Amino acid sequence: MPVIELKDVSKLYGFGDATTVALDEVNFSVEKGEFVAIMGPSGSGKSTLLNIIGLLDKPTHGTYDLGGRRVERMRANRRSKIRRDTIGFIFQSFNLLPRLNVLENVALPLAYKGKTQTKRLKQAGAILEEVGLADREYFMPKQLSGGQTQRVAIARALVNNPKIIIADEPTGNLDSASSLVIMELLDKIHRDGNTILMVTHNPELTKYASRVVFMHDGSIVADEMSKFGEIPGFIKRRMYSVKIKTQEDKLKGVSAVMKAIPDKNTKNDDSSNKKQKKPIKKYKRKNKAKK
Amino acid sequence: MLLSRNIRLAVSSLRSSKWRSYLTMLGIIIGVASVVVTVSIGEGVKKQVVKQINELGPELITVRPGTTVQRDENGNIVGVNLLAGINPGSFSEKEWTAITETSGVQSTSPLNVVSGVPRYQDKTMPNSIVVGTTDNFAALIGQELDYGAFFSDNDKNENTVVIGKRVADELFGELAPIGKSIQVRGHTLIVKGIFKQFPSTPLVASNDYNSTIFMPYEVSKKVSSGQVQIYQILAKAKDEKTANSAAANIRSNLTKLHGGEEDFTVLKQDENLAVVSNMLNLLTAFIAGVAAISLLVGGIGVMNIMLVLVSERTREIGVRKAVGATNKQILTQFLVESSVLCVVGGLLGIILSVIANYLIRVFTDLQPVITIPIILISVGIALIVGIIFGTTPAVIAARKDPIESLRYE
């Protein structure tokens, strides 16, 4: 049974003519122990997808099962608790609380669980040792380097033993040496049996993933298993050799890139156009039904 | 457990921007201090008055012109008329005689106001009161003299006066000006005695015997060219038990004398006490209410700063929500923070008011009293202010969308 199962999930923003489609009937499931890298141009819906999976956002349509539980219509309070118990977040900008020291930052999720302070700090200390920062426990976040800060953030994401770890461009603010350390750490966590979802702009990083997903205009346009240490073929083509056949393609810009990806081409262009309009129609129909 | 963590968090947050916290607290500090000071002054005055009245003894009955209190059919006081003191009129000798002849009354003593300013050499004392009274006055109110003697039956027609402590101090500038003479309305009067310090009763000017000049009743009539303005008649019942019936008899006799109109007030000591403390409570409540407005302003300041704090920490709220804080937990965090701000302000306000009270004791006659209930109530009020004015910012914080909060720069 998959840990994450999204069925026909759409996310719309705005009303009427101003409606924009962030996610377009996405079907997506993740098995336990997978390391999924999500790629795609900005505005393609990666973050929206992660926010919905991370229970920070609700889908407009569709269903979402997390660990066998229906979660898409839950109230804010229960979602908070599920976030606390089953999801760990790693952010591009680290997001440690500046007024707490490293140990307290790591222990933060446990505090909301209501554990006693000694238990909390003990557990946080153990996790910090795992990420190799046992000697930085009482430092303040601003006293750490970028790489160290992100390792603290990873420790925080791990401390409550989450079912899934969501990383939104974890190396986006780091130099390449620190990025390498972070990716090795994530790889180690993956090999320990954790499920990781990671958004990245850097195709090199997909080497660490066990599965690579490519998104465009709110849809998943490519989804491939990949071996450790290899960059999947379609990513390579996408990044390094985009063929522009006609002047028209050149003007279309990114969409020309998409045409170059074979399985998107098998579905013809008309269907993709239809897909974009469909949710809007659905939305309108719903409104009418209400009236 | 979570509360203590929140309190520690709040304290560290407040310490992270010390100046802002102090300035925000200043409103609360001033508000609490002004409320505590006014209430403690009221409390102190009440204590002094109670002490004074108790010293006079339970069998003493005071009769004054004007209707100061409203009574029900059984004679119990149901209300106090604060404005009655403004123009009470006066009694004449008729009433005095009536009271003296009332059954149950042992002895009486009138206080006849002489309108005049006493003069000693080239000094005057405009805030003093000159009264004429009988020779049993000192015994009636149980007051002893520091120096000299009270006038007796023998010198009731002599031009002598007995003065209060403050008159000796302000008019003569010495402790015992016995034998010196003062001028009142062109009459020369010789100081015969000086009273011991009366328990002073600030705010109740008509009762301040410390700045009063007493002369024999007959002399006072002479000085004021035969005019009689008795503003108070003291009557002593035979004993404590007959005080009630004596007071009732005085009431009925005087009502008869005034043609059925009860335009006077007969008060036993315990009633006197009730009236005075009632008036003082009202006055204190009014002033404290005015002072509480500054607390309100302080509360608005707290709310303002909490709103700033919430928007400043939007990102923190986002992170906390992402790692699993529920809306309620965020709400509690900010509510605790504003409460801590206000309670700390309240405690500092109490310290300030203790200092202010000390200065008041040193520089004025007032003797403010800070009691434990006053401290508890003012800390409680500060806490309530913190909760009331912290609620809106805390709710705003709790309702923030986690995604937008995480993006907030």
Side-chain angles (χ1 to χ4, degrees):
Chain A
M1 203 176 103
V3 184
I4 296 167
E5 195 166 18
L6 298 176
K7 274 189 193 144
D8 295 331
V9 166
S10 303
K11 180 72 190 176
L12 310 177
Y13 290 110
F15 297 95
D17 292 344
T19 309
T20 50
V21 184
L23 282 184
D24 187 0
E25 298 197 338
V26 170
N27 288 297
F28 183 56
S29 61
V30 178
E31 298 290 334
K32 191 177 182 320
E34 277 189 306
F35 187 166
V36 185
I38 302 171
M39 295 200 64
S42 27
S44 61
K46 311 182 297 286
S47 294
T48 309
L49 184 67
L50 276 198
N51 286 339
I52 285 174
I53 290 172
L55 290 178
L56 291 172
D57 209 349
K58 284 182 182 179
T60 318
H61 305 290
T63 63
Y64 173 20
D65 290 85
L66 175 64
R69 268 164 104 185
R70 252 318 146 75
V71 293
E72 82 272 0
R73 287 282 168 263
M74 270 185 182
R75 285 178 182 280
N77 212 15
R78 301 210 33 212
R79 289 145 65 90
S80 291
K81 282 178 184 156
I82 290 177
R83 274 206 298 275
R84 183 188 74 194
D85 296 334
T86 59
I87 300 168
F89 283 95
I90 301 167
F91 303 98
Q92 179 178 4
S93 45
F94 320 133
N95 278 342
L96 296 186
L97 300 188
R99 282 186 295 110
L100 302 184
N101 68 28
V102 165
L103 198 61
E104 288 168 332
N105 259 299
V106 174
L108 194 61
L110 300 174
Y112 287 117
K113 223 169 182 169
K115 291 206 173 181
T116 61
Q117 184 167 3
T118 31
K119 254 188 184 173
R120 267 186 345 237
L121 296 184
K122 208 173 158 192
Q123 210 171 326
I127 295 282
L128 268 178
E129 208 169 327
E130 239 173 79
V131 300
L133 285 174
D135 55 339
R136 295 285 190 276
E137 278 182 358
Y138 295 103
F139 280 51
M140 297 310 275
K142 63 181 171 193
Q143 294 169 308
L144 302 178
S145 72
Q148 286 171 333
T149 312
Q150 193 61 300
R151 270 147 72 195
V152 174
I154 290 172
R156 181 179 64 188
L158 285 174
V159 78
N160 55 0
N161 254 325
K163 284 201 181 97
I164 52 174
I165 291 164
I166 291 176
D168 196 348
E169 292 192 50
T171 60
N173 282 2
L174 298 176
D175 58 66
S176 51
S178 307
S179 295
L180 199 67
V181 175
I182 294 299
M183 288 317 296
E184 292 292 341
L185 183 59
L186 282 178
D187 180 51
K188 177 178 160 262
I189 292 164
H190 171 225
R191 275 187 276 117
D192 288 345
N194 285 298
T195 313
I196 303 177
L197 268 80
M198 177 183 77
V199 161
T200 182
H201 276 128
N202 186 347
E204 296 286 343
L205 300 186
T206 58
K207 281 196 279 196
Y208 292 94
S210 65
R211 178 179 164 196
V212 180
V213 168
F214 199 92
M215 292 191 70
H216 183 71
D217 279 353
S219 313
I220 292 175
V221 291
D223 188 347
E224 262 183 33
M225 294 297 165
S226 72
K227 278 184 200 157
F228 181 74
E230 275 180 14
I231 299 172
F234 72 94
I235 295 291
K236 268 189 190 159
R237 281 198 296 283
R238 152 84 174 74
M239 295 313 291
Y240 304 118
S241 53
V242 176
K243 286 170 196 156
I244 296 171
K245 289 168 192 161
T246 63
Q247 191 63 27
E248 206 185 351
D249 284 346
K250 199 176 181 178
L251 286 173
K252 274 182 183 168
V254 185
S255 27
V257 176
M258 301 326 300
K259 273 184 189 168
I261 296 163
D263 53 351
K264 183 75 184 175
N265 277 346
T266 52
K267 299 172 194 168
N268 58 34
D269 285 348
D270 295 354
S271 73
S272 74
N273 281 343
K274 258 185 200 168
K275 257 193 174 172
Q276 274 198 1
K277 280 174 187 168
K278 222 194 235 163
I280 302 169
K281 273 183 191 164
K282 253 189 202 167
Y283 187 69
K284 280 181 179 166
R285 213 179 295 139
K286 266 198 169 176
N287 269 355
K288 272 176 194 167
K290 271 180 193 168
K291 279 171 193 171
Chain B
M1 198 281 299
L2 201 64
L3 188 71
S4 71
R5 197 182 75 92
N6 271 329
I7 289 174
R8 267 191 299 121
L9 210 66
V11 170
S12 86
S13 151
L14 297 180
R15 285 174 72 179
S16 69
S17 49
K18 282 205 181 82
W19 267 107
R20 190 167 70 185
S21 304
Y22 284 141
L23 286 176
T24 313
M25 266 187 241
L26 199 61
I28 300 293
I29 292 173
I30 291 171
V32 167
S34 50
V35 170
V36 170
V37 166
T38 46
V39 173
S40 61
I41 286 177
E43 203 70 17
V45 169
K46 209 156 77 188
K47 222 173 166 182
Q48 284 167 274
V49 172
V50 167
K51 198 175 152 208
Q52 188 199 24
I53 289 175
N54 280 340
E55 273 178 6
L56 296 179
E59 61 278 357
L60 200 71
I61 298 161
T62 317
V63 187
R64 287 204 194 105
T67 321
T68 321
V69 293
Q70 282 114 43
R71 290 170 191 269
D72 60 10
E73 304 89 58
N74 300 327
N76 297 321
I77 293 175
V78 289
V80 174
N81 185 6
L82 284 180
L83 296 178
I86 291 175
N87 188 15
S90 62
F91 290 142
S92 64
E93 279 177 13
K94 246 185 349 187
E95 285 90 352
W96 180 25
T97 322
I99 292 170
T100 313
E101 285 164 1
T102 304
S103 68
V105 175
Q106 196 181 41
S107 60
T108 57
S109 174
L111 287 175
N112 180 28
V113 184
V114 177
S115 55
V117 178
R119 174 187 293 275
Y120 169 67
Q121 288 167 357
D122 53 351
K123 263 196 277 181
T124 58
M125 190 174 167
N127 61 343
S128 66
I129 307 157
V130 185
V131 299
T133 186
T134 50
D135 48 39
N136 59 348
F137 174 78
L140 211 60
I141 62 166
Q143 183 73 8
E144 290 172 4
L145 275 78
D146 254 355
Y147 306 100
F150 203 71
F151 35 84
S152 65
D153 202 32
N154 297 331
D155 47 14
K156 63 181 176 190
N157 290 319
E158 304 284 332
N159 281 1
T160 55
V161 289
V162 172
I163 57 177
K165 264 265 150 103
R166 194 171 298 138
V167 180
D169 181 42
E170 282 187 26
L171 202 57
F172 298 95
E174 58 180 286
L175 217 54
I178 289 184
K180 304 234 161 112
S181 58
I182 56 168
Q183 306 278 324
V184 181
R185 288 173 80 106
H187 290 76
T188 305
L189 302 137
I190 295 168
V191 177
K192 189 172 178 0
I194 294 103
F195 268 119
K196 270 193 171 156
Q197 177 92 26
F198 286 90
S200 71
T201 51
L203 304 185
V204 191
S206 63
N207 270 356
D208 191 2
Y209 292 145
N210 283 325
S211 39
T212 304
I213 294 166
F214 301 89
M215 62 179 79
Y217 181 72
E218 294 302 326
V219 177
S220 72
K221 261 166 80 177
K222 193 171 72 190
V223 170
S224 51
S225 14
Q227 214 179 352
V228 175
Q229 290 182 58
I230 298 172
Y231 84 91
Q232 184 170 313
I233 298 170
L234 296 172
K236 192 165 191 168
K238 288 204 174 70
D239 52 54
E240 204 179 328
K241 283 171 201 156
T242 53
N244 271 333
S245 62
N249 290 342
I250 292 172
R251 259 181 83 199
S252 61
N253 279 359
L254 281 191
T255 312
K256 225 179 283 165
L257 192 69
H258 285 199
E261 186 70 35
E262 195 179 335
D263 56 351
F264 56 88
T265 310
V266 180
L267 289 174
K268 288 186 287 126
Q269 271 325 82
D270 53 341
E271 289 173 333
N272 219 338
L273 199 68
V275 170
V276 171
S277 64
N278 195 330
M279 277 165 67
L280 280 175
N281 281 350
L282 216 77
L283 202 68
T284 309
F286 176 71
I287 300 174
V290 173
I293 290 175
S294 63
L295 206 58
L296 188 83
V297 175
I300 293 169
V302 168
M303 184 162 167
N304 195 6
I305 225 66
M306 286 310 292
L307 286 172
V308 171
L309 225 101
V310 167
S311 85
E312 215 174 53
R313 279 155 61 183
T314 303
R315 211 180 166 90
E316 177 185 327
I317 294 166
V319 174
R320 284 180 183 276
K321 284 197 163 186
V323 301
T326 59
N327 288 1
K328 209 173 139 196
Q329 282 163 332
I330 300 283
L331 184 96
T332 316
Q333 187 196 331
F334 282 94
L335 216 50
V336 166
E337 191 156 337
S338 67
S339 303
V340 165
L341 191 72
C342 284
V343 168
V344 171
L347 292 175
L348 291 177
I350 287 169
I351 292 171
L352 183 70
S353 65
V354 168
I355 296 168
N357 278 354
Y358 177 74
L359 294 177
I360 288 172
R361 268 170 188 270
V362 169
F363 290 107
T364 71
D365 280 342
L366 298 167
Q367 298 188 330
V369 181
I370 295 184
T371 58
I372 301 284
I374 295 178
I375 290 176
L376 292 182
I377 288 170
S378 52
V379 171
I381 288 173
L383 182 66
I384 290 168
V385 166
I387 290 173
I388 288 174
F389 289 96
T391 300
T392 311
V395 167
I396 289 174
R399 287 199 187 149
K400 277 195 187 291
D401 177 40
I403 301 169
E404 300 209 338
S405 306
L406 280 169
R407 273 192 212 127
Y408 187 86
E409 284 305 321

